[in-house]
Amino acid sequence: MIPRRGENHTALVTGASRGIGRAIAERLAAEGYRVFANDLERQASELADLVAEITKSGGRCEAVYCDVSNPRSVEDMVHGCLVAAGSIDLLVNNAGVLSVHPVAEIEPDEWDRMFDVNTKGTFLVTKALLGHFRGRKAGRIVNIASIGGKRGGPGQSHYCASKAAVINFTQVLAMEIARDGVTVNAVCPGIIDTDMGRNNYRNEESLRQVKEKTAMGRLGYPADVVGAVAFFASDDAAFITGQSLNVDGGIIFH
Ligand code: NAP
C-alpha cells in the first residue's frame, strides 16, 4: 500500500477553528498528518468539533490554544507541541484578522491589531519553530498572505499592508534558511467565502462586482485554497521557496 503523503508527519496550523484554517487542518489530517490545530480559547467548542470530526474519520488532531500575537503564549504552545509529538514538519501560519475602514478612520490601535495578528503572529510562531527546523535540517513553512498584499483595495490599507509584510517576510526568511533545508512560501487567496471573506461583499451588488472582477466568475471556497498549501508542504515543492502563489480564480495576474 502506498503510504499517505503526510504519514508520520506533524503539522501546526494556526487559526484553524473555522474558514480556511479549518479546511487546511482537515486536508492535512486526511493526508496522514498529525495536526495541531490552534486558535484562541474563545473558539474552544469549534476546535473540539474539528478534533472530533477528524478523529471520527480516522485522522489525528489535537487542539492547542494561544493568541499568536502573544510571544510567551506562542513559545508555550510550540514547546507543548514539540513535547507531545517530538517534532513538527510543517507550520501553516493562517491566523488572521481583517477590518474595513478608510485610512482617515483607522484608529492606531486597529492598525496595530492587524499587524499584531497577521504579521507579528506569523513572525512569532515561525521564530519559535526555527531552531527546531534548523536542528533537523528540515521543515516547511506556508504563510497564508492575501492578494491584498500584492494589490490593495480601498478600506483595507492596514490589512493589505500587513499582508504585504507577510509576503516580504516570506521572501527574506526563505533566503535566510534555504541552506538549512527549510522552505518558506506564501499562499495568497482571493475572495474566499468565509466569515472574513464576507467583509468583501456585504450586499448583493458588491458580491456581483467581486464575481465580475474574477476571471472564473465566482468566489473561492476554503477547499480551493488547501491544495496550494498541501503542494508547498509536499516533496514536489522541494525546490520551491520564497514564492507567493495567488489562489484567486484569476482576480489579479501577477
Ligand atoms: P476567519 O474565518 O476569520 O478565520 C480566522 C481564524 O483565525 C479565526 O478562527 C480566528 O479566531 C483566528 N484568529 C484570529 N486572531 C487570532 C489570534 N490572535 N491567534 C490565533 N487565532 C486567531 O478567516 P479566513 O477567511 O479563514 O482567513 C484565514 C486566513 O486567510 C487569514 O490569514 C486571512 O487573512 C487570509 N485570507 C482570507 C481571505 C478571505 O477572503 N477569506 C482572503 C485572503 C486571505 P476568532 O474568530 O476568534 O477571531
Side-chain angles (χ1 to χ4, degrees):
M1 196 171 95
I2 300 168
R4 288 183 297 171
R5 203 164 211 170
E7 213 80 68
N8 303 320
H9 287 177
T10 303
L12 170 60
V13 182
T14 66
S17 73
R18 60 197 173 101
I20 295 170
R22 186 182 181 110
I24 293 169
E26 289 168 346
R27 167 66 181 265
L28 294 175
E31 288 201 359
Y33 283 85
R34 173 177 176 177
V35 177
F36 289 105
N38 153 269
D39 216 298
L40 297 164
E41 286 202 29
R42 67 184 179 210
Q43 296 293 350
S45 71
E46 293 294 317
L47 270 191
D49 180 63
L50 173 69
V51 170
E53 178 200 299
I54 289 177
T55 308
K56 195 173 160 202
S57 52
R60 297 172 298 165
C61 182
E62 288 136 84
V64 287
Y65 300 100
C66 93
D67 176 343
V68 296
S69 67
N70 182 317
R72 184 67 201 269
S73 305
V74 166
E75 279 172 26
D76 288 348
M77 174 185 70
V78 167
H79 178 71
C81 294
L82 288 173
V83 167
S87 64
I88 292 179
D89 303 278
L90 167 65
L91 166 63
V92 184
N93 284 306
N94 166 81
V97 288
L98 163 77
S99 65
V100 181
H101 307 285
V103 172
E105 291 169 20
I106 299 173
E107 295 297 334
D109 283 352
E110 188 58 4
W111 178 276
D112 287 346
R113 191 172 75 92
M114 292 298 111
F115 276 77
D116 280 351
V117 179
N118 298 348
T119 313
K120 193 168 99 183
T122 296
F123 154 70
L124 288 174
V125 187
T126 300
K127 184 165 189 275
L129 267 168
L130 267 190
H132 175 69
F133 284 157
R134 278 194 157 126
R136 299 179 71 220
K137 291 270 176 205
R140 295 291 166 93
I141 301 170
V142 182
N143 297 323
I144 308 302
S146 170
I147 55 163
K150 294 183 175 179
R151 186 187 299 170
Q156 300 186 2
S157 61
H158 49 343
Y159 175 80
C160 294
S162 75
K163 291 295 188 176
V166 169
I167 292 170
N168 215 302
F169 175 71
T170 300
Q171 292 169 350
V172 174
L173 182 64
M175 292 180 226
E176 289 185 5
I177 61 172
R179 290 176 191 216
D180 291 310
V182 183
T183 69
V184 195
N185 291 288
V187 172
C188 296
I191 313 298
I192 308 300
D193 190 13
T194 65
D195 292 340
M196 180 189 289
R198 281 176 211 116
N199 268 321
N200 293 292
Y201 53 95
R202 289 178 170 175
N203 53 48
E204 281 304 310
E205 176 51 21
S206 61
L207 174 59
R208 192 190 60 74
Q209 286 173 10
V210 166
K211 287 181 178 171
E212 199 162 275
K213 276 195 290 186
T214 306
M216 290 190 183
R218 69 166 176 89
L219 298 174
Y221 298 100
D224 288 316
V225 181
V226 301
V229 177
F231 169 66
F232 281 136
S234 76
D235 291 343
D236 290 337
F239 199 53
I240 301 174
T241 196
Q243 301 305 303
S244 50
L245 177 65
N246 299 354
V247 180
D248 66 353
I251 198 167
I252 62 171
F253 288 93
H254 61 81

